[in-house]
Amino acid sequence: MQTLLLVGVGRMGLPYLAAGRRLGARVVAVETAAKAGAIADLVDHLTISRGDSDELWAEAAWAAVAAQRPDGVIAFSEPQVTAAALVQDELGLPGPSLRAGVLSRNKALQRGRFAAAGIAQPEHLVTDGLAAAREWALDRLPVVVKPLSLAGSMGVELVAGAAAFDEAAARRAGEGRLLVERAVEGPEYSWEALVHEGRVWFANLTAKETTGPPHFIEVAHRTAPDVPEATRRRVDGFGGEVLRALGMRSGLVHLEFRLTAEGPVLIEVAVRTPGDHLMDLLGLTYGHDWFELVARVALGRDLPDPPTGPIRYAAGYLPLAPAGTVTAVRGLEQVREHKAVVEAGVLVERGSVVQAARSSNQRVGQVLLAAGDRAELAAALAEVRRTLVVETA
């Protein structure tokens, strides 16, 4: 019997457990003490990580390997990527590659690697303090400031003028090393690819909707959007260039970019499970369980034939609410009864305190939808937006 090691599970990684079981594997996991209780009875062995840093995830992953050598390893989210890549490299198991794992965890390393590879990306500067980057930034306004290793828009901020830059520099003094980039105009997309031994098994294009500046929090995703075939081929070619620069071998790739008049411009890339229920949306769109596909790749199993195209169209809606105390949640039951809604939930209730939205952590719910065509999906998404309302005061 094969053993599948999950480095991090969380809530959205639970389908990996079910996928491993369906494949007849013994499933073991590494998780923090705070989250271990939710999965303790679902896995064959559980190793506790003493914290959420890259170093402590690696420590726990090595301890899990010492207890039993796995046949496959899956990293769930950003902090677990390095740990999984180290174990995969040490044991010679399928994985993105140690190079890809290291680059995934550091946006500044990505910029340096992709610049050498000639991949289109924003003009950028790495700085130990925003104040030191003032002259460079003011010559290129507006600029985007971001941390090197966080996800979910955490710490991302567009700065449009000199006064705003000085305020940000004072507010973020002592924050540590930051990446400053010339802002890029164009709609946002992501490219999700399952890669097997260096070759793309299948790739999907997702259209993003964000709050825009200053924090660009993602509030909606639509899989398989309507774009010209020439654009899709260009994006696939761009994705292939990024994979080669990463040294990508096997696993998931989640690439975010803006589509400019000159073509795709890279924002960032990660070699782990994408957030915002994108794996569920991929399953709805193409009829394959993407958690099981990733587990198959990790365990060295055969893959089915790739899909020939969408069997339906899917979207995810991730609402925000104004800062304040929640006074009412309206429309949830009506939304759940909509024929296009697959799943709907809210994360707050009356009396909850909602903070001003600065990252994905401040979103207050999620709705997953699927429909037979894009027009039907757009109409359903618009109705959900009108119906589901979180009121605050």
Side-chain angles (χ1 to χ4, degrees):
M1 176 183 289
Q2 288 183 301
T3 296
L4 177 65
L5 170 61
L6 305 178
V7 185
V9 180
R11 178 172 58 89
M12 286 189 286
L14 289 173
Y16 282 128
L17 298 177
R21 296 291 189 214
R22 286 197 304 273
L23 294 173
R26 184 174 185 267
V27 181
V28 300
V30 175
E31 191 50 275
T32 59
K35 297 179 180 178
I39 63 169
D41 296 333
L42 304 176
V43 296
D44 294 291
H45 185 267
L46 182 60
T47 302
I48 301 299
S49 174
R50 296 190 297 164
D52 202 32
S53 69
D54 290 40
E55 295 82 3
L56 291 177
W57 282 110
E59 174 189 79
W62 276 316
V65 169
Q68 179 169 353
R69 186 188 192 282
D71 301 283
V73 181
I74 297 174
F76 173 60
S77 190
E78 277 295 309
Q80 297 100 34
V81 166
T82 301
L86 286 167
V87 170
Q88 289 158 346
D89 182 72
E90 181 177 337
L91 302 181
L93 297 175
S97 81
L98 187 55
R99 185 212 307 180
V102 170
L103 291 173
S104 177
R105 286 295 288 139
N106 189 302
K107 296 178 179 65
L109 290 180
Q110 289 182 31
R111 289 287 178 257
R113 177 68 192 100
F114 297 142
I119 292 170
Q121 60 180 352
E123 189 180 359
H124 62 279
L125 178 71
V126 181
T127 180
D128 287 324
L130 273 187
R134 187 178 192 275
E135 183 177 351
W136 184 94
L138 264 55
D139 285 341
R140 294 163 177 84
L141 292 172
V143 296
V144 176
V145 179
K146 59 180 68 172
L148 303 191
S149 300
L150 297 181
S153 298
M154 293 182 65
V156 175
E157 177 179 7
L158 182 132
V159 180
F165 186 90
D166 291 339
E167 187 276 329
R171 174 167 37 84
R172 302 183 71 155
E175 187 172 329
R177 192 163 295 137
L178 295 166
L179 186 62
V180 187
E181 303 176 345
R182 186 193 291 268
V184 177
E185 293 292 330
E188 287 196 45
Y189 291 88
S190 64
W191 186 77
E192 290 77 36
L194 183 63
V195 184
H196 182 230
E197 296 179 351
R199 300 185 64 180
V200 175
W201 175 81
F202 187 78
N204 164 78
L205 188 63
T206 298
K208 294 177 173 291
E209 181 185 337
T210 77
T211 57
H215 302 299
F216 304 99
I217 301 168
E218 295 170 1
V219 293
H221 302 275
R222 291 179 292 111
T223 54
D226 188 15
V227 298
E229 182 59 29
T231 298
R232 179 56 200 258
R233 288 196 300 269
R234 190 168 186 179
V235 169
D236 286 342
F238 180 75
E241 293 174 8
V242 173
L243 296 182
R244 287 188 289 276
L246 282 173
M248 183 68 191
R249 293 176 187 161
S250 295
L252 269 176
V253 173
H254 176 64
L255 186 160
E256 298 182 338
F257 66 95
R258 285 187 180 270
L259 189 57
T260 72
E262 290 74 36
V265 174
L266 181 74
I267 301 302
E268 60 189 61
V269 64
V271 293
R272 42 82 176 164
T273 309
D276 293 354
H277 298 277
L278 277 175
M279 296 282 276
D280 300 293
L281 298 183
L282 293 172
L284 291 169
T285 304
Y286 300 108
H288 288 277
D289 184 322
W290 279 63
F291 293 96
E292 182 173 318
L293 292 171
V294 173
R296 283 183 172 276
V297 170
L299 292 168
R301 303 283 188 90
D302 291 336
L303 290 171
D305 292 334
T308 57
I311 60 172
R312 62 180 70 86
Y313 299 89
Y317 174 51
L318 303 145
L320 292 165
T325 301
V326 176
T327 57
V329 177
R330 305 191 187 281
L332 180 59
E333 291 308 315
Q334 296 96 306
V335 164
R336 285 174 171 164
E337 292 171 0
H338 194 287
K339 65 178 182 178
V341 171
V342 177
E343 177 186 325
V346 294
L347 305 174
V348 295
E349 58 187 12
R350 186 180 175 88
S352 298
V353 175
V354 177
Q355 302 295 331
R358 298 180 65 87
S359 77
S360 298
N361 292 336
Q362 274 81 47
R363 296 175 303 193
V364 296
Q366 72 285 326
V367 182
L368 306 185
L369 306 95
D373 59 54
R374 295 186 180 98
E376 182 184 349
L377 179 67
L381 182 57
E383 185 171 345
V384 165
R385 288 177 184 272
R386 289 192 299 267
T387 305
L388 181 58
V389 178
V390 175
E391 297 179 354
T392 62

